[in-house]
Amino acid sequence: MTIQTREDLFAAMKNGATLITPNNRLSNQLLQAFFKQSPLAVKDKPLCLPYQTFLRDQYKKARHLYANMSHPILLTQQQQSYLWREIITQQQGACSNGLLAEIQEAWAHCQSWQIDNNHPAFAQTPQTRQFQQWQQQFRQYLTKLEVITEEQLAIHLLHYPDLFNMDTIIWTCFDDYTPQQCTLQQAMF
């Protein structure tokens, strides 16, 4: 389905399409515009979700549909921060909030851009080698605890391809797609 105009998008929403946007603000704007242009009362609210919310909803759906299978627990940001702080503190004795934020951002980028922990770029500086070691230790914690981070949800959901048996899924308002998002899109279509 090709969406050329806003009216095409609203028609798709009315017909049950699931829209995925980059963030809450854009989802809310699209929903408000949809309801504003709709002259008749709308019976069902269209599914217009920010990307992360879509992933969390699909994760919950997988846990429900495959209740007989074991599923990793999804860590909160606070739990993830705690694990990172433990790893960094073990090696350095202390961990500033700034360093912790940078490490978590680097982790998120590595997941989104599907950068392998063994990538040769990690060997270039002492800082990148240190991050590589921390990342390896973090992954070991995740495996041992049988948990995943939000940044790993998209790849985890690939184990359940039938989750994406929706009539129409439209990714809208994205400037670019990360490799992780492209991988997920390929699984959907």
Side-chain angles (χ1 to χ4, degrees), residues 1 4 8 17 31 52 61 80 110 121 135 143 162 177-180:
M1 165 185 271
Q4 298 289 333
D8 292 342
L31 284 170
Q52 285 305 128
K61 186 176 170 184
Q80 186 181 156
C110 286
Q135 189 174 195
T143 301
D162 55 323
Y177 298 109
T178 66
Q180 187 184 71

Side-chain angles (χ1 to χ4, degrees), residues 1-188:
M1 165 185 271
T2 303
I3 304 292
Q4 298 289 333
T5 65
R6 201 170 201 177
E7 288 72 30
D8 292 342
L9 184 64
F10 292 151
M13 290 170 75
K14 188 174 184 175
N15 291 327
T18 299
L19 269 64
I20 302 172
T21 66
N23 56 49
N24 286 331
R25 183 184 56 80
L26 289 169
S27 291
N28 289 334
Q29 283 179 347
L30 283 172
L31 284 170
Q32 287 174 1
F34 172 80
F35 286 118
K36 187 175 181 179
Q37 68 81 36
S38 184
L40 303 172
V42 178
K43 291 183 182 180
D44 295 319
K45 179 182 173 185
L47 275 177
C48 183
L49 304 168
Y51 177 65
Q52 285 305 128
T53 301
F54 173 76
L55 293 178
R56 282 190 300 273
D57 286 356
Q58 294 307 308
Y59 171 74
K60 289 175 189 173
K61 186 176 170 184
R63 290 179 59 102
H64 177 73
L65 290 174
Y66 301 97
N68 59 337
M69 295 174 63
S70 177
H71 298 276
I73 295 171
L74 179 62
L75 291 179
T76 65
Q77 284 299 323
Q78 292 81 7
Q79 290 167 326
Q80 186 181 156
S81 294
Y82 176 81
L83 287 179
W84 278 116
R85 191 176 295 278
E86 283 291 306
I87 291 166
I88 296 166
T89 304
Q90 285 173 7
Q91 298 224 342
Q92 291 191 331
C95 176
S96 70
N97 290 337
L99 175 61
L100 183 62
E102 285 183 29
I103 295 299
Q104 287 183 284
E105 185 177 346
W107 165 259
H109 287 300
C110 286
Q111 300 311 299
S112 295
W113 292 94
Q114 297 181 326
I115 300 171
D116 186 349
N117 197 40
N118 296 318
H119 193 282
F122 286 116
Q124 292 181 356
T125 69
Q127 291 85 0
T128 55
R129 284 191 298 274
Q130 182 66 68
F131 175 69
Q132 182 183 38
Q133 290 172 0
W134 289 340
Q135 189 174 195
Q136 183 177 353
Q137 199 171 355
F138 186 68
R139 286 180 184 277
Q140 289 170 350
Y141 272 29
L142 296 177
T143 301
K144 179 181 175 189
L145 297 171
E146 297 180 13
V147 297
I148 59 173
T149 66
E150 259 195 41
E151 295 83 8
Q152 296 173 303
L153 266 179
I155 301 303
H156 174 72
L157 292 173
L158 295 176
H159 298 292
Y160 311 98
D162 55 323
L163 286 177
F164 308 115
N165 289 340
M166 300 169 198
D167 289 335
T168 306
I169 299 174
I170 301 170
W171 294 62
T172 186
C173 303
F174 286 82
D175 292 331
D176 292 308
Y177 298 109
T178 66
Q180 187 184 71
Q181 290 169 335
C182 290
T183 301
L184 187 61
Q185 289 171 349
Q186 289 170 355
M188 290 177 171

